[in-house]
Amino acid sequence: MTCDEANVLMHALIDGELDATRASDVEAHVAGCQRCAAELRQFRKMRQAMAGANLRLAAPAALRSRIEAAIPAPVSRAPQPSRRFLLQGFAFGTAFSAAAAASVVFFVTRSGEDERLLGDVVSAHRRSLQAEHLADVRSTDLKVVRPWFSGKLAAVPPVIDLAGQGFTLVGGRLDTVDGQPVAAIVYRRDDHIINLFVGVAGNADHTAALGETVQGFNTQRWNDRGFRFIAISDMGTDELRDFHEKFETGLRAGA
Amino acid sequence: MMLAGRRRSSGARSAMAGDVHDPERARRFREAALPHLDEVYTLARYLLRNAADADDAVQECYLRALKHFHTFRGGPIRPWLFAILRNTCKSAYGQRRFAGQELAEDAVPLWSDPQETPEAGVLRRCDEQSIRDMVSALPGQFREAIVLREINDLSYSEIAEIVGVPIGTVMSRLARARSMLRTAWLAIEERAQ
């Protein structure tokens, strides 16, 4: 075997693409040729360095969203009427659910995309904390915050006063989660900020709250009255669960 | 080539062709193809060397892949996606951006240059961005070969099928690409010293 041949074949050797016979031919040549042996060492080292480096690039989130949006969504099964929903007799004729039913904006609920959804929520939460852009309307008065949202979204989100329960209303703003415009209602307890993202759900079902920790933040998400809620904060799991309960109770009380 | 070769001609199949709204097919496509988005995007970035073009090419690639998903016969989906991406890049961006400056296959190989002291070139650790830049600076066909092999982890036969060349050509392009990379690598070290 000549050096020129060995210089090509040694790459196939490095890549594990040579059969045993050819591999031993190359190795025999390298064993007797100092220069080719040095080459092989160098290329092996280079390959190792490349394999150890992260040379891949992550697709931008916007590109991912565009592609996901272009693939038809799975057909959702007909929603089962929830027992709680029936018992409480929440009428479909209210402004909330009518708007929800008329809306074509759905939060994505497929489990495979939950991770991305939550990642988006974390980003939106972080953004709100860093850029001094916590609230477009700043007020502890829901008579100020609630009307601010009207006309800005497909349905006016419920804003509830929870000051008596230890959660102070800070204000509200519009944000984007999962490519959809959503309301962000901001509450505070001590030093902890809660962003409550409210989007329109595909149906009026009530779902139990699901708590997850993502990138160090606690989240609680649930559906109720045609809305999809996602609360996120750096407060403890129990505290955030408490927030969810207080919010639901307040919503039920018609606050 | 690949798409045409894999297309079935039966009437029933062609009736399904392009039915991107079939929810079951969309679901299977989503599960099979979306997990590889970062890899497809990586290949597009290295091939086109431009973020905005890569965005467009990847989106177009996924639309085409969904449309032609009925022609996918199972097995690893990555080579199939890469082949579609490559065709998308070629048709949309032409030879200019896709390949950059090409070298003739029979140009004098760099590895023939006699090394004064073979042991002298000790490759040091190089940071990731430098390696990416060196790979990006390679001429098109060599860049493509090295990215498919080193970054996308494909076998020679998979690369040969995607690129449409014999396995021997894949091997010689890789040898050539690595020689060029080594030259660049050693040059960085000289600057560092």
Side-chain angles (χ1 to χ4, degrees):
Chain A
M1 180 177 291
T2 66
C3 286
D4 275 356
E5 284 169 337
N7 268 300
V8 175
L9 286 172
M10 70 171 62
H11 292 280
L13 179 72
I14 292 171
D15 290 326
E17 295 266 353
L18 285 189
D19 59 46
T21 315
R22 297 291 281 287
S24 58
D25 285 352
V26 177
E27 278 159 358
H29 173 88
V30 168
C33 174
Q34 215 188 356
R35 201 190 122 187
C36 286
E39 294 262 308
L40 182 59
R41 270 199 301 280
Q42 215 171 36
F43 284 127
R44 278 218 162 104
K45 202 169 165 191
M46 191 171 83
R47 172 132 209 281
Q48 219 174 356
M50 289 185 75
N54 178 21
L55 303 178
R56 293 190 181 182
L57 301 155
L63 173 64
R64 189 177 286 273
S65 304
R66 282 208 304 279
I67 290 172
E68 294 206 346
I71 305 172
V75 196
S76 55
R77 289 181 193 86
Q80 299 288 319
S82 95
R83 181 181 265 287
R84 203 159 165 185
F85 171 76
L86 291 174
L87 285 175
Q88 302 203 339
F90 183 74
F92 230 109
T94 66
F96 281 162
S97 53
S103 168
V104 290
V105 182
F106 293 92
F107 256 110
V108 178
T109 54
R110 291 179 295 276
S111 61
E113 289 170 13
D114 281 359
E115 197 177 327
R116 196 171 53 77
L117 173 71
L118 290 176
D120 233 25
V121 166
V122 170
S123 306
H125 181 63
R126 283 215 171 104
R127 255 193 332 265
S128 77
L129 300 179
Q130 285 168 1
E132 296 216 355
H133 190 64
L134 200 54
D136 288 328
V137 54
R138 234 174 220 281
S139 174
T140 55
D141 187 352
L142 51 96
K143 289 192 197 68
V144 174
V145 178
R146 196 184 273 163
W148 183 85
F149 282 110
S150 74
K152 294 190 171 70
L153 293 163
V156 180
V159 185
I160 296 172
D161 187 355
L162 295 173
Q165 286 79 22
F167 298 97
T168 314
L169 182 65
V170 175
R173 68 173 191 284
L174 294 181
D175 212 316
T176 308
V177 169
D178 204 31
Q180 310 290 356
V182 294
I185 305 168
V186 186
Y187 291 90
R188 178 194 290 276
R189 171 182 267 182
D190 303 325
D191 289 338
H192 303 290
I193 292 289
I194 304 167
N195 264 298
L196 177 64
F197 295 104
V198 188
V200 177
N203 55 55
D205 286 1
H206 174 273
T207 62
L210 182 65
E212 277 180 81
T213 304
V214 191
Q215 298 172 39
F217 293 103
N218 279 310
T219 65
Q220 289 278 332
R221 51 198 165 119
W222 69 97
N223 286 18
D224 196 8
R225 306 197 172 195
F227 288 101
R228 170 118 194 223
F229 298 92
I230 307 179
I232 178 167
S233 177
D234 61 349
M235 66 175 47
T237 316
D238 291 345
E239 279 181 290
L240 194 62
R241 201 176 294 132
D242 183 42
F243 168 78
H244 157 248
E245 280 163 15
K246 297 286 184 342
F247 187 91
E248 270 212 321
T249 309
L251 189 58
R252 260 164 235 307
Chain B
M1 307 303 114
M2 208 171 209
L3 290 178
R6 289 186 175 187
R7 186 186 293 273
R8 285 195 194 173
S9 57
S10 93
R13 292 295 280 194
S14 47
M16 294 286 291
D19 182 10
V20 298
H21 298 294
D22 174 2
E24 173 57 19
R25 208 177 93 185
R27 185 190 61 78
R28 281 188 293 115
F29 178 75
R30 188 182 284 276
E31 285 173 10
L34 274 186
H36 303 294
L37 181 58
D38 284 345
E39 284 188 81
V40 174
Y41 178 74
T42 297
L43 180 60
R45 279 292 295 273
Y46 281 104
L47 290 185
L48 297 170
R49 300 193 283 204
N50 173 296
D53 288 349
D55 263 32
D56 291 346
V58 170
Q59 184 168 358
E60 177 63 23
C61 163
Y62 269 81
L63 293 181
R64 284 193 198 183
L66 173 61
K67 194 173 166 198
H68 295 284
F69 192 49
H70 61 287
T71 66
F72 174 63
R73 294 281 197 83
I77 196 170
R78 290 189 314 143
W80 186 73
L81 286 173
F82 293 154
I84 296 173
L85 177 78
R86 187 176 185 275
N87 289 339
T88 306
C89 292
K90 283 222 150 178
S91 58
Y93 303 97
Q95 213 61 27
R96 184 178 57 84
R97 274 198 179 142
F98 172 68
Q101 72 279 32
E102 293 288 347
L103 292 191
E105 214 66 67
D106 56 356
V108 181
L110 292 176
W111 64 80
S112 294
D113 296 347
Q115 300 256 321
E116 285 183 12
T117 48
E119 300 289 350
V122 180
L123 293 167
R124 300 224 185 127
R125 290 188 65 83
C126 218
D127 67 284
E128 281 168 3
Q129 192 53 50
S130 302
I131 302 177
R132 283 183 196 158
D133 292 346
M134 285 189 284
V135 172
S136 295
L138 291 174
Q141 65 212 22
F142 304 104
R143 185 168 74 239
E144 176 177 75
I146 207 84
V147 171
L148 288 171
R149 173 68 207 120
E150 305 278 30
I151 302 176
N152 288 323
D153 261 332
L154 295 190
S155 71
Y156 284 16
S157 65
E158 285 171 324
I159 299 171
E161 195 177 350
I162 290 169
V163 179
V165 297
I167 288 182
T169 306
V170 172
M171 199 187 301
S172 62
R173 282 185 187 177
L174 276 172
R176 188 76 189 281
R178 286 193 181 132
S179 290
M180 289 187 235
L181 272 181
R182 180 185 55 182
T183 306
W185 205 303
L186 291 172
I188 282 185
E189 266 165 38
E190 273 175 31
R191 278 205 300 277
Q193 276 163 11

